[in-house]
Amino acid sequence: MSIELRQISKRFGDVLAVDDVSFTVAEGELVALLGPSGGGKTTVLRMIAGLEMPGGGDLLIRGQRVNDVPVQQRNIGFVFQGYALFRTMDVFSNIAFGLSIRKWSKSDIAARVEELVGIFGLEGLERRLPHQLSGGQRQRVAIARALASKPGVLLLDEPFAAVDAKIRQELREWLVRLHHELSVTTVFVTHDQEEAMEVANRIVIFSRGRLEQIGTPREVYEQPVNEFVARFIGVMNVLELKVQDGAARLGELSFPVHGAVDGQTLRIGFRPYAVKVSPLPREYPCRALLKHVFFLGVMLRIELETPDGLVIRARISKEDFARLNLVEDQPVSFYIREYRVLGGDGAFTGQSSAIVPPGFGEGI
């Protein structure tokens, strides 16, 4: 393994910022540390870098315990959230700075900077100062500088937070291509779920200093281990319903649950894509009004209001929306083809199942 954390913890005064965290990053992986503000992800990144020391546990890089190894000896490239470029140095000098400190020869420095300028698409910008660059160009210079000395690990702290949405999307795609080309073990911090899902091979999800789940983007989306992850990754409808005759029910909604006890309260979770809608009020078992439509490009987010006052969030392609001739305040019918049962401790205790209208066969 390139990086291994074993029961790492960290306190700042009375605040337990990181609580008994263990995970590994394989050689050549691109891993996202994801979570809300204060979740502990940046503290973990800084401990890997050597900018913070663990309060407990062991931190290993390529098999070597580095708890007390200073940052200069860890062979790590670190890119700060605000780039931290030297304002009075041009692009060439910024990229070359670490190599000069390491006493590389002038010819080797020139060759390495020329190589990185080509890889990062910075040709013709070598003599520009940071204020003469766009946000995306400054970010690429910062990453090029971090990679100049050929580190074994690249760490990025909120790498795209300082640029606008269009540039952020371009940089995400560029980072994925760069990683495929260089195969440098990379760990980046983000609070943006979409960014983590799009860029990372695996995602490590934090909340209040604890590690909640590790998995591929598909695993954490489709198989969340608890309600926090289910709500944090994507959108999740969560309904609190009473069990009656073996199903969690409210009005026309009915979720069969194996082993449930009548009178028990259950929390039922399902993704918006699992809600299927028809303009025919009686085609599917459940009725609602289509209250709101939000255009998201190729997809639309719609909100359905049931006769009992529940708001159900669904997603539908713009083609299907047009084909079905749906409009706001229109009576519709719907069914939920896939759902999970949330346990009292937040864990998913039920299996994926479905409310399936007659003639639609078995659920997923």
Side-chain angles (χ1 to χ4, degrees):
M1 290 297 172
S2 187
I3 303 170
E4 183 175 2
L5 282 73
R6 299 177 180 170
Q7 297 179 299
I8 291 291
S9 62
K10 178 69 177 180
R11 283 188 177 274
F12 295 104
D14 295 331
V15 177
L16 184 58
V18 177
D19 183 9
D20 193 30
V21 166
S22 299
F23 68 91
T24 60
V25 179
E27 193 76 28
E29 263 199 303
L30 176 55
V31 171
L33 308 184
L34 174 67
S37 298
K41 56 192 185 295
T42 298
T43 301
V44 167
L45 192 80
R46 290 176 63 84
M47 285 192 286
I48 296 171
L51 300 173
E52 301 285 352
M53 298 302 168
D58 292 317
L59 176 59
L60 293 85
I61 297 178
R62 292 184 170 175
Q64 178 189 359
R65 186 179 183 274
V66 295
N67 287 43
D68 303 316
V69 175
V71 60
Q72 299 88 345
Q73 298 176 22
R74 293 197 185 191
N75 191 30
I76 281 176
F78 195 99
V79 178
F80 294 91
Q81 182 175 338
Y83 314 137
L85 297 178
F86 300 109
R87 291 179 294 176
T88 58
M89 291 185 183
D90 60 23
V91 167
F92 183 99
S93 300
N94 263 286
I95 297 174
F97 179 78
L99 305 180
S100 300
I101 296 296
R102 290 172 173 80
K103 307 298 184 183
W104 282 36
S105 69
K106 288 185 177 180
S107 60
D108 287 343
I109 290 174
R112 179 59 173 162
V113 173
E114 182 180 357
E115 177 187 8
L116 290 167
V117 163
I119 291 172
F120 284 74
L122 298 168
E123 298 95 335
L125 305 178
E126 294 90 338
R127 296 308 169 192
R128 290 193 185 181
L129 296 173
H131 76 270
Q132 297 172 314
L133 304 174
S134 69
Q137 289 168 341
R138 288 196 294 271
Q139 184 60 280
R140 282 183 279 157
V141 172
I143 297 176
R145 182 179 63 184
L147 289 173
S149 60
K150 301 181 180 180
V153 174
L154 176 64
L155 305 178
L156 308 168
D157 185 11
E158 298 275 9
F160 312 133
V163 296
D164 62 38
K166 184 176 185 301
I167 299 299
R168 188 158 57 245
Q169 181 62 44
E170 292 173 358
L171 284 172
R172 289 177 189 170
E173 296 168 0
W174 170 81
L175 179 61
V176 171
R177 291 195 301 270
L178 178 71
H179 182 261
H180 285 164
E181 182 176 347
L182 301 180
S183 295
V184 177
T185 304
T186 303
V187 181
F188 72 98
V189 162
T190 182
H191 64 271
D192 186 323
Q193 300 92 326
E194 183 179 317
E195 184 169 284
M197 296 279 286
E198 184 175 341
V199 173
N201 304 137
R202 286 194 303 149
I203 301 173
V204 185
I205 302 172
F206 292 90
S207 173
R208 294 179 292 184
R210 297 190 63 85
L211 191 157
E212 298 287 349
Q213 184 172 356
I214 306 173
T216 65
R218 184 168 185 171
E219 286 169 346
V220 298
Y221 186 82
E222 295 185 349
Q223 303 168 36
V225 298
N226 57 36
E227 186 172 343
F228 170 81
V229 175
R231 287 180 176 273
F232 192 74
I233 298 293
V235 177
M236 173 71 79
N237 291 286
V238 179
L239 306 179
E240 194 167 279
L241 307 175
K242 290 280 189 180
V243 175
Q244 180 184 349
D245 299 327
R249 302 176 187 273
L250 180 63
E252 295 169 330
L253 287 169
S254 176
F255 299 85
V257 181
H258 296 296
V261 178
D262 281 6
Q264 182 180 2
T265 298
L266 292 180
R267 294 172 70 77
I268 304 294
F270 53 93
R271 298 289 188 190
Y273 69 79
V275 182
K276 299 303 176 185
V277 180
S278 168
L280 304 177
R282 297 190 180 278
E283 181 173 358
Y284 297 149
C286 303
R287 294 171 299 151
L289 281 179
L290 197 167
K291 294 297 293 184
H292 300 290
V293 178
F294 303 91
F295 181 74
L296 304 175
V298 296
M299 299 296 293
L300 283 77
R301 178 165 64 88
I302 61 177
E303 291 184 355
L304 310 177
E305 185 176 308
T306 72
D308 301 285
L310 292 178
V311 175
I312 306 292
R313 290 169 293 181
R315 285 207 176 198
I316 186 171
S317 70
K318 65 178 182 180
E319 290 82 8
D320 284 345
F321 187 86
R323 177 177 58 81
L324 295 173
N325 199 27
L326 295 171
V327 295
E328 288 188 349
D329 295 321
Q330 172 185 359
V332 297
S333 62
F334 70 96
Y335 78 100
I336 298 160
R337 65 179 180 86
E338 184 178 356
Y339 64 90
R340 288 177 176 265
V341 182
L342 295 166
D345 62 354
F348 282 102
T349 57
Q351 299 296 318
S352 293
S353 186
I355 298 176
V356 184
F360 275 76
E362 293 298 322
I364 294 174

